């Protein structure tokens, strides 16, 4: 916990953006742990009354994790993208654990209770969304990535465009498609216990 | 629910195209492209419905980034800011950019550094933060902290700060580039500690200490930079910062140096800076990261002490770290000077080993001899007591100590257990375990007492020796050999407590003890005599121990041989007595011999040798052997540099003597350089006694030359530096009065009179030496009646 893989991360990030695909898995593993800890720190509370957005989890995590001056701007965007993926995993894992706990586990998961109350009305049930994203990945992996970057990472259109190597306007259009697809998916699967688009509100 | 790829792509394209159209035209558009009932068309229709229905769906990212701290496209460098012309970008942080700039109107032609909020960051928070950084820097007026010149707001409302441009390199790079030795790195690092202490004294936590924020200039001066995310502790009237004093701003941290509490968003305190410094230290001296490792031969293991110090500073729990940066720095000093470091908590084996290796490393002769004796007290105490013990007692005592060693030693099962804990645990058992062996009990108490003296806990030593005395008296009666040993220890403990009269009185019965022949008794007798001589030295009664010091040296030489520290101590002490009783010639010869014995024992490079050389040189100077004196002063100075670095305050002593030497030769300019260096080094060390003494010598030189121009600045700086700590010392006011004289000589009569009058009053109040008061009075009178 004390030793920092900062250098490692920076190196991996550069390697990955230079086309070393294996670097991604290493990068992801390193990042998950740290983001998870960060997420806990934030969710534990210090910022009452706020949603995640002020926490700026991914961004801050990024800045904490790599040496900015050695990484090109475009690669930073890539890193955001990875972080967003990690953040999805973290938040969904938590939601899943919380769900299990509620259904009969004895462990109290204060963390997720906390998280749940902060999710604003426009957000869906995380587990349902995650299921939907899994299906979307099968259909159109890039579109799923876009959703993850946008929704779990808060990346801007420009940043997503940099990662997907396309234009910002294309990202905007694709985003609408993704959103419509997800909305439809969640609405039609709302008979299932995992909830509807507005299922997370109640 | 998945679709074949071609249909999926078609649906996507149709959906996107339809979105371009007004609502009413979409149905018709779809009709022209797909047949009724085609699944692609159904899909696109559903999507269009969804798009209309759920404009806000997923619209707000679950995790969004605040615009203010966004690192995005690089900011363009403006041509100028205020009256400054920007030259180049030299740094960039989470929300600010730093440029090197020059003032256009050439008011000063030195470069400055301008820090400004990065383009696009316009929050009120950023303004506030800049304002606070400016105030903080203005508060921290210290040569090792970058200073702030100016600040303002550009026309478009962007706040900026104008700061000293530090032309240096990050401390880690500096150390590696110059290939600095570990001790040189430590000396430099301790300066950084000093600068951070200044922050902490002003209730400011830096929060972002890392090599990039600690630059070292070409002349080796460290500079602390970037107070952009400081935390202000409590209310700080001086900085005028508002009541919102417990503020720390979220900002990208440097995770390697950020403490766990910072990373996790818990409360930040000065301990967070201790952590960052500890991490930095680890890099600098242990090569825990980066290139240092490469310079080290694989055979050299990192010193265990330094590892312990780094570990202690970087504990996860803030409360487990050093309590302050000062303590960290102090432990490093202890390491440099060869003392046991506190980080290692005091495992007895370690501390014994460390102390026995060290043997002596104190600054002045007299104090150094104390250390010599303290060490020998352990060695000889255990030795003598062992030899004198009967077999049964010896076994009991040995098993007791073995147990402590096993518990407290680094190899034991509980390496963390401190000496104190181990001893405390065992001590409770002493009385039970040795119920039927009062003699063993007495011996154990006596040895523990000696150990406590040596380890700097004389109070505890007094308690232990008290018990030992009672036990031994019951067993052996008054005046026994056992009792004498305990009395020596007790006397040393009292001396450590600066209770010199009691120390002398305690030793009286031991002096009356009549030893039998034999090494054991002779060793004890030498210890008694050495202790007695040292006690008297502290009482400044050198003449009274003429006979004893001679006898100690004689016995030590005859019975203990030249290779023992007892003999070295007896030699140096005898030389000191000779010197103090006006027999410089003999003193010089003996001093040289003491030096030789010491070197045989401790090696040539021991820092204490520099002190001995310095003292020897002073004797030689007084004897008129000026060339020998000069050579030894230079040697002493060089050895201090090797041992403690160029800025070691110890250097002031040989440098001042050298300066006087040069002045006598009429080499005023060179003399002044040496005087000034001595004062500057003292000032940098912050040691008040060194500052005042050095400045006094400088002032005396200036007065003698009748011109204070070459050093008035330093004398004033010394008075400033010493004001708080030395207000009650007569030396401080004597220096103030010297400044008054200087000023009078230079014709500044009015200020001279004020200065002298104030000094005189203080000197009288403090009952300073008559001659000092008389001199001041005389100068004052001369001013009034030119």
């Amino acid at each position: 916990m004390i030793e920092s893989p900062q250098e490692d991360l920076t190196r991996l990030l550069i390697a990955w953006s230079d086309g070393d695909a294996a670097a991604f898995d290493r990068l992801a593993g390193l990042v998950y742990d740290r983001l998870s800890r960060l997420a806990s720190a934030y969710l534990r509370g210090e910022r009452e009354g706020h949603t995640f957005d002020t926490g700026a989890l991914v961004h801050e995590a990024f800045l904490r994790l790599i040496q900015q001056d050695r990484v090109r701007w475009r690669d930073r965007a890539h890193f955001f993208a990875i972080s967003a993926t990690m953040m999805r995993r973290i938040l969904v894992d938590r939601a899943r654990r919380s769900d299990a706990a509620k259904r009969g586990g004895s462990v109290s998961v204060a963390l997720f209770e906390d998280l749940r109350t902060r999710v604003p009305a426009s957000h869906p049930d995380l587990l349902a969304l995650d299921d939907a994203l899994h299906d979307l990945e099968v259909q159109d992996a890039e579109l799923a990535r876009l959703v993850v970057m946008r929704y779990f990472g808060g990346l801007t259109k420009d940043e997503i465009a940099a990662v997907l190597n396309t234009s910002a306007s294309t990202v905007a259009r694709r985003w609408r498609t993704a959103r419509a697809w997800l909305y439809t998916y969640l609405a039609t699967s709302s008979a299932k216990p995992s909830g509807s688009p507005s299922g997370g509100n109640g | 629910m998945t679709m074949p790829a071609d249909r999926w792509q078609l649906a996507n394209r149709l959906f996107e195209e339809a979105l371009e159209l007004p609502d009413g035209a979409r149905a018709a558009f779809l009709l022209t492209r797909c047949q009724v009932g085609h699944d692609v068309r159904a899909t696109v229709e559903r999507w269009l419905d969804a798009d209309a229905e759920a404009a806000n769906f997923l619209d707000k990212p679950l995790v969004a980034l605040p615009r203010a701290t966004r690192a995005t496209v690089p900011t363009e460098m403006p041509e100028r800011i205020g009256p400054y012309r920007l030259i180049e970008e030299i740094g960039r942080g989470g929300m600010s950019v730093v440029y090197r700039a020059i003032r256009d109107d050439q008011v000063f032609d030195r470069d400055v550094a301008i820090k400004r909020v990065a383009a696009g960051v316009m929050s009120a928070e950023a303004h506030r933060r800049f304002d606070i950084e400016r105030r903080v820097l203005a508060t921290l007026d210290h040569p090792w902290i970058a200073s702030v010149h100016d600040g303002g707001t550009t026309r478009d409302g962007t706040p900026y700060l104008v700061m000293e441009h530090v032309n240096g390199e990050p401390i880690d790079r500096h150390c590696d580039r110059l290939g600095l030795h570990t001790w040189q790195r430590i000396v430099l690092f301790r300066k950084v500690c000093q600068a951070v202490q200044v922050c902490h004294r002003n209730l400011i936590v830096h929060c972002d200490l890392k090599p990039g924020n600690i630059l070292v200039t070409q002349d080796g001066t460290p500079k602390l930079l970037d107070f952009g995310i400081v935390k202000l502790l409590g209310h700080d009237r001086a900085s005028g910062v508002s009541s919102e004093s417990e503020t720390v701003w979220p900002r990208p941290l440097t995770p390697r140096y950020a403490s766990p509490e910072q990373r996790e968003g818990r409360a930040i305190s000065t301990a967070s800076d201790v952590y960052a410094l500890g991490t930095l230290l680890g890099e600098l001296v242990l090569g825990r990261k980066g290139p240092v490792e490469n310079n080290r031969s694989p055979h050299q293991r990192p010193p265990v002490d330094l590892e312990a110090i780094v570990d202690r500073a970087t504990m996860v729990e803030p409360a487990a770290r050093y309590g302050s940066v000062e303590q960290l720095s102090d432990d490093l000093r202890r390491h440099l000077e060869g003392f046991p470091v506190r980080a290692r908590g005091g495992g007895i084996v370690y501390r014994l080993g460390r102390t026995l290796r060290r043997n002596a490393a104190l600054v002045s002769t007299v104090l150094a001899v104390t250390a010599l004796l303290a060490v020998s007290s352990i060695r000889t105490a255990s030795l003598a007591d062992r030899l004198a013990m009967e077999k049964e007692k010896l076994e009991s005592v040995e098993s007791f100590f073995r147990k402590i060693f096993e518990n407290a030693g680094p190899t034991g099962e509980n390496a963390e257990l401190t000496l104190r804990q181990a001893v405390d645990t065992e001590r409770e058992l002493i009385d039970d375990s040795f119920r039927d062996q009062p003699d063993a009990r007495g011996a154990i108490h006596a040895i523990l007492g000696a150990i406590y003296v040596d380890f700097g806990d004389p109070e505890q030593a007094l308690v232990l020796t008290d018990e030992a005395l009672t036990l031994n008296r019951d067993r052996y009666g008054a005046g026994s050999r056992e009792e004498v040993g305990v009395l020596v220890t007790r006397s040393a403990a009292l001396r450590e407590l600066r209770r010199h009269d009691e120390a002398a009185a305690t030793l009286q019965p031991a002096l009356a003890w009549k030893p039998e022949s034999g090494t054991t008794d002779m060793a004890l007798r030498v210890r008694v005599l050495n202790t007695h001589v040292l006690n008297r030295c502290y009482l400044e009664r050198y003449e009274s121990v003429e006979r004893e010091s001679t006898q100690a040296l004689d016995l030590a030489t005859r019975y203990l041989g030249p290779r023992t520290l007892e003999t070295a101590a007896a030699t140096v002490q005898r030389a000191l007595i000779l010197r103090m009783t006006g027999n410089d010639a003999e003193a010089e010869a003996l001093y040289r011999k003491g030096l030789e014995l010491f070197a045989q024992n401790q090696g040539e490079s021991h820092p204490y040798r520099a002190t001995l050389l310095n003292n020897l040189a002073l004797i030689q100077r007084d004897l008129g052997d000026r060339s020998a004196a000069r050579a030894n002063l230079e040697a002493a100075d060089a050895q201090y540099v090797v041992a403690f670095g160029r800025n070691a305050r110890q250097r002031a002593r040989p440098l001042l003597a050298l300066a006087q030497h040069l002045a006598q030769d009429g080499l005023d300019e060179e003399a002044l350089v040496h005087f000034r260096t001595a004062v500057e080094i003292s000032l940098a060390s912050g040691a008040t006694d060194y500052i005042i003494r050095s400045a006094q010598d400088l002032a005396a030189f200036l007065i003698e030359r009748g011109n204070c121009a070459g050093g008035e600045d330093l004398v004033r700086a010394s008075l400033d530096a010493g004001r708080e700590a030395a207000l009650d010392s007569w030396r401080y006011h004597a220096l103030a009065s010297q400044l008054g004289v200087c000023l009078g000589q230079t014709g500044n009569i009015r200020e001279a009179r004020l200065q002298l009058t104030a000094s005189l009053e203080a000197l009288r109040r403090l009952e300073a030496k008559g001659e000092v008061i008389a001199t001041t009075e005389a100068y004052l009178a001369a001013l009034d009646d030119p």
Side-chain angles (χ1 to χ4, degrees):
Chain A
M1 169 143 183
I2 292 178
E3 105 290 352
S4 159
Q6 177 195 23
E7 198 115 64
D8 238 25
L9 279 171
T10 307
R11 198 172 45 70
L12 284 172
L13 184 56
I14 292 169
W16 177 57
S17 64
D18 286 346
D20 176 359
F24 177 84
D25 290 337
R26 297 256 349 260
L27 205 52
L30 283 171
V31 171
Y32 182 88
D33 216 38
R34 311 219 122 211
L35 282 180
S36 179
R37 221 178 294 124
L38 273 172
S40 303
Y42 275 101
L43 296 179
R44 214 178 289 127
E46 65 174 4
R47 286 155 207 254
E48 286 305 328
H50 292 265
T51 49
F52 295 126
D53 46 4
T54 46
L57 285 180
V58 173
H59 177 74
E60 194 160 332
F62 162 73
L63 292 171
R64 288 179 189 203
L65 289 174
I66 64 162
Q67 296 162 319
Q68 293 184 73
D69 47 352
R70 282 182 49 198
V71 178
R72 288 163 300 199
W73 177 74
R74 217 180 133 261
D75 300 333
R76 293 187 210 171
H78 276 91
F79 191 82
F80 276 113
I82 299 173
S83 301
T85 312
M86 297 301 116
M87 189 52 73
R88 170 188 171 193
R89 256 188 241 171
I90 291 163
L91 294 177
V92 170
D93 284 353
R94 282 181 198 286
R96 193 161 286 134
R97 254 180 282 145
S98 159
D99 222 34
K102 265 185 294 179
R103 267 188 270 109
S106 52
V107 195
S108 100
V109 187
L111 274 183
F112 187 66
E113 289 312 314
D114 207 13
L115 180 148
R116 182 170 285 260
T117 57
R118 287 152 191 245
V119 175
S122 60
H123 295 283
D125 181 299
L126 274 183
L127 295 180
L129 180 66
D130 189 54
D131 285 344
L133 280 171
H134 278 298
D135 277 357
L136 183 59
E137 272 156 22
V138 176
Q139 180 65 257
D140 187 337
E142 193 178 276
L143 201 59
R145 269 182 88 194
L146 190 153
V147 174
V148 173
M149 286 188 267
R150 165 86 204 234
Y151 187 66
F152 288 95
L155 270 70
T156 62
K157 290 188 192 79
D158 288 336
E159 285 159 344
I160 296 170
V163 174
L164 298 180
N165 203 12
T166 180
S167 71
S169 58
T170 303
V171 170
R173 282 202 310 276
R174 301 278 285 144
W175 166 245
R176 273 176 97 172
T177 310
R179 200 175 55 171
W181 186 90
L182 283 169
Y183 190 86
T184 315
Y185 181 101
L186 291 171
T188 50
S189 61
S190 65
K192 291 190 284 181
S194 50
S196 66
S198 55
N201 303 347
Chain B
M1 244 180 111
T2 54
M3 298 166 81
D6 55 337
R7 293 198 201 169
W8 171 259
Q9 273 162 21
L10 179 64
N12 270 269
R13 203 167 60 236
L14 292 180
F15 177 64
E16 285 175 13
E17 285 174 27
L19 283 178
E20 301 289 311
L21 304 170
D23 277 1
R26 287 177 186 170
F29 163 74
L30 281 181
L31 268 175
T32 63
R33 304 296 292 267
C34 314
Q35 296 156 8
V36 181
H38 193 290
D39 63 341
V40 169
R41 184 170 146 196
T43 302
V44 175
E45 276 170 349
R46 274 205 303 277
W47 289 357
L48 287 169
D49 287 346
D51 186 71
E53 212 173 297
N56 293 327
F57 177 60
L58 297 184
D59 200 42
K60 202 172 174 200
L62 193 55
V63 179
L65 315 181
R67 297 294 113 183
T69 59
R70 195 93 199 223
T72 50
V73 202
T75 313
E76 284 272 307
M77 184 174 83
E79 211 163 286
R80 56 181 59 249
I81 291 179
Y84 301 92
R85 186 156 49 80
L86 304 191
I87 298 167
E88 60 178 338
E89 180 178 322
I90 52 176
R92 178 177 284 271
M95 53 179 294
S96 57
V97 193
V98 186
Y99 303 106
R100 186 162 68 84
I102 191 161
R103 208 184 148 100
D104 234 8
D105 50 19
Q106 301 288 330
V107 169
F108 14 73
D109 59 353
R110 265 190 320 181
D111 288 354
V112 294
I114 296 192
K115 178 175 183 173
R116 66 160 225 173
V117 174
V121 180
M122 296 297 290
S123 66
E125 185 58 38
H127 283 253
R128 222 170 69 83
R129 203 188 287 186
F130 262 64
D131 191 42
I132 290 182
E133 181 170 6
R134 180 179 172 181
R135 287 164 192 241
V136 161
L137 284 172
T139 311
L140 298 175
D141 180 20
H142 190 275
W144 297 338
I145 297 175
S147 52
V148 65
H149 299 319
D150 193 6
T153 311
T154 60
R155 257 168 300 167
D156 66 354
T158 315
Y160 66 88
L161 280 178
V162 183
M163 294 175 294
E164 171 185 5
H165 175 243
V166 179
N167 192 3
E169 59 188 339
I171 185 167
D172 51 347
R173 213 180 300 159
H174 173 85
C175 291
D176 291 341
R177 186 174 57 80
L178 296 182
L180 296 187
H181 290 294
T182 301
W183 65 263
Q184 290 172 308
R185 290 165 190 249
I186 295 174
V187 167
L188 180 62
F189 177 83
R190 288 191 67 230
K191 287 184 188 170
V192 176
C193 288
Q194 224 174 306
V196 176
Q197 274 166 246
V198 171
C199 302
H200 291 181
R201 269 203 294 275
N202 284 287
L203 302 177
I204 291 159
V205 185
H206 187 285
C207 295
D208 198 15
L209 295 168
K210 58 180 177 183
N213 286 339
I214 303 162
L215 300 188
V216 184
T217 62
Q218 286 213 312
D219 64 351
T221 312
K223 290 269 188 185
L224 216 54
L225 311 176
D226 196 353
F227 288 71
I229 56 166
V230 295
K231 171 175 172 153
L232 309 173
L233 300 170
H235 295 266
D236 188 2
R237 269 164 286 122
S239 75
V241 171
S242 73
S243 58
E244 203 177 335
S245 48
E246 280 282 324
T247 316
V248 64
W249 299 278
R251 191 182 95 161
L253 299 160
T254 314
R256 182 174 182 80
Y257 305 92
S259 58
E261 65 268 21
Q262 269 171 295
R263 277 180 268 167
E264 287 162 21
R266 286 186 278 134
I268 287 171
S269 67
T270 52
S272 313
D273 280 353
V274 171
Y275 181 94
L277 286 171
T279 309
L280 174 64
L281 180 67
E283 290 176 12
L284 293 182
V285 302
L286 302 178
R288 284 205 172 161
K289 162 205 138 181
V292 181
E293 206 118 41
N294 308 335
N295 303 338
R296 188 183 292 132
S297 90
H299 307 295
Q300 276 176 282
R301 283 191 51 246
V304 183
D305 279 352
L306 289 175
E307 281 190 325
I309 291 175
V310 169
D311 287 347
R312 175 82 187 277
T314 52
M315 296 297 279
V316 172
E317 270 313 305
R321 295 171 208 151
Y322 287 105
S324 66
V325 176
E326 207 158 356
Q327 284 180 15
L328 164 63
S329 175
D330 197 55
D331 228 7
L332 285 168
R333 181 186 55 74
R334 295 175 67 85
H335 170 76
L336 280 179
E337 294 178 357
F339 285 82
V341 301
R342 301 200 194 282
R344 297 196 54 188
I348 185 174
V349 171
Y350 158 68
R351 295 192 67 166
L352 265 176
R354 183 80 185 169
T355 308
L356 294 177
R357 267 200 310 281
R358 159 176 68 88
N359 287 303
L362 289 173
V363 190
S364 78
T365 313
V366 174
L367 286 179
V369 177
T370 316
L372 289 173
L373 284 186
V375 173
S376 57
S377 74
I378 286 193
R379 272 194 183 167
T380 325
S382 34
L383 182 72
D385 290 345
R386 273 188 196 181
L387 291 174
M389 278 177 215
E390 308 91 47
K391 189 165 174 292
E392 191 187 344
K393 185 169 89 176
L394 182 65
E395 279 168 7
S396 307
V397 172
E398 276 192 344
S399 79
F400 173 80
F401 278 98
R402 202 175 309 123
K403 209 151 137 199
I404 294 187
F405 275 57
E406 279 164 5
N407 280 337
T411 52
E413 60 183 74
N414 192 351
E416 293 296 305
L417 205 59
T418 63
L419 165 69
R420 192 54 170 276
Q421 285 166 330
V423 171
D424 284 350
T425 310
E426 293 304 319
R427 246 182 88 185
E428 284 174 19
L429 302 175
I430 297 176
D431 290 339
D432 277 348
S433 322
F434 297 92
R435 188 178 301 283
D436 304 326
Q437 297 165 273
D439 45 355
R441 237 160 52 188
I444 288 168
H445 280 117
I447 296 175
L448 284 178
I451 289 173
Y452 273 112
V453 172
D454 196 40
F455 296 160
D457 192 347
E459 280 99 349
Q460 199 59 31
L462 286 183
V463 175
L464 284 157
T465 51
D466 213 34
E467 289 173 49
L469 280 178
T470 313
L471 288 165
N472 285 345
R473 190 156 300 165
D474 288 352
R475 172 78 182 159
Y476 306 103
S480 65
R481 173 191 297 122
E482 283 77 7
E483 183 172 281
V484 169
V486 179
L487 289 175
V488 169
T489 304
R490 198 172 168 76
S491 184
L494 289 163
R495 190 179 61 227
E496 288 289 304
L497 290 166
R498 297 287 179 267
R499 287 152 65 176
H500 298 304
D501 287 318
E502 284 172 75
T506 299
L507 201 66
Q508 279 310 314
L511 276 169
W513 170 67
K514 296 269 178 292
E516 292 166 17
S517 61
T519 315
T520 314
D521 271 17
M522 280 311 150
L524 185 55
R525 176 68 181 163
V526 171
R527 286 175 61 218
V528 171
L529 290 172
N530 273 345
T531 310
H532 175 64
V533 171
L534 191 56
N535 283 341
R536 291 297 169 103
C537 287
Y538 271 104
L539 293 168
E540 297 189 36
R541 293 179 55 195
Y542 307 102
E543 302 84 357
S544 70
V545 281
E546 273 279 350
R547 198 166 50 84
E548 288 87 347
S549 61
T550 314
Q551 201 188 350
L553 180 55
D554 178 49
L555 289 178
T557 314
R558 271 198 288 152
Y559 290 96
L560 307 179
R563 297 199 65 85
T564 61
L565 277 168
E566 287 83 354
T567 307
T571 309
V572 175
Q573 286 190 168
R574 176 66 195 144
L576 180 70
I577 300 297
L578 285 167
R579 158 93 163 143
M580 289 307 182
T581 51
N583 198 340
D584 278 350
E586 257 184 82
E588 197 254 358
L590 209 51
Y591 222 108
R592 273 194 301 182
K593 191 165 166 223
L595 198 63
E596 198 180 302
L597 291 177
F598 184 82
Q600 278 173 14
N601 238 297
Q602 300 300 314
E604 293 280 331
S605 61
H606 196 285
Y608 177 55
R609 190 167 162 272
T611 306
L612 292 176
L613 279 170
N614 184 69
N615 293 351
L616 173 61
L618 297 184
I619 299 175
Q620 289 167 333
R621 179 196 64 191
D622 293 351
L623 284 170
D625 188 354
R626 301 187 71 241
S627 60
R630 182 168 176 171
N632 279 329
L633 286 173
E634 280 164 356
D637 183 46
Q639 185 133 21
Y640 279 132
V641 172
V642 169
F644 304 127
R646 292 211 71 78
N647 291 317
R649 62 170 191 270
Q650 287 87 345
R651 286 187 68 204
R653 287 148 44 85
L655 282 175
L656 289 172
L658 273 172
Q660 276 152 0
H661 188 105
L662 293 163
Q664 277 173 15
D665 288 346
L667 301 167
D668 279 7
E669 270 178 41
E670 285 158 60
L672 186 61
V673 170
H674 279 73
F675 277 122
R676 289 188 64 97
T677 310
V679 178
E680 278 161 2
I681 287 175
S682 304
L683 279 168
S685 79
T688 314
D689 48 346
Y690 277 85
I691 295 173
I692 302 298
R693 294 260 186 154
S694 308
Q696 277 200 296
D697 281 4
L698 169 63
F701 170 77
L702 297 172
I703 292 171
E704 207 173 299
R705 297 294 179 270
N707 179 6
C708 69
E712 187 188 332
D713 55 335
L714 285 182
V715 175
R716 284 186 191 273
S718 301
L719 284 168
D720 280 347
R723 184 159 292 134
E724 225 166 276
L727 216 48
D728 288 331
S729 110
W730 68 268
R731 281 188 181 279
Y732 174 83
H733 296 286
L735 177 62
S737 104
Q738 284 177 295
L739 175 64
V741 175
C742 258
L743 291 166
Q745 286 177 334
T746 319
N748 191 346
I749 306 296
R750 204 174 136 268
E751 204 193 335
R753 185 175 293 125
L754 285 173
Q755 193 72 256
L756 283 167
T757 312
S759 309
L760 186 58
E761 193 180 307
L763 287 168
R764 283 181 178 144
R765 175 171 56 81
L766 293 169
E767 296 172 7
K769 281 185 192 166
E771 52 190 304
V772 180
I773 295 179
T775 315
T776 308
E777 281 171 341
Y779 274 115
L780 195 54
L783 279 183
D784 285 337
D785 183 18

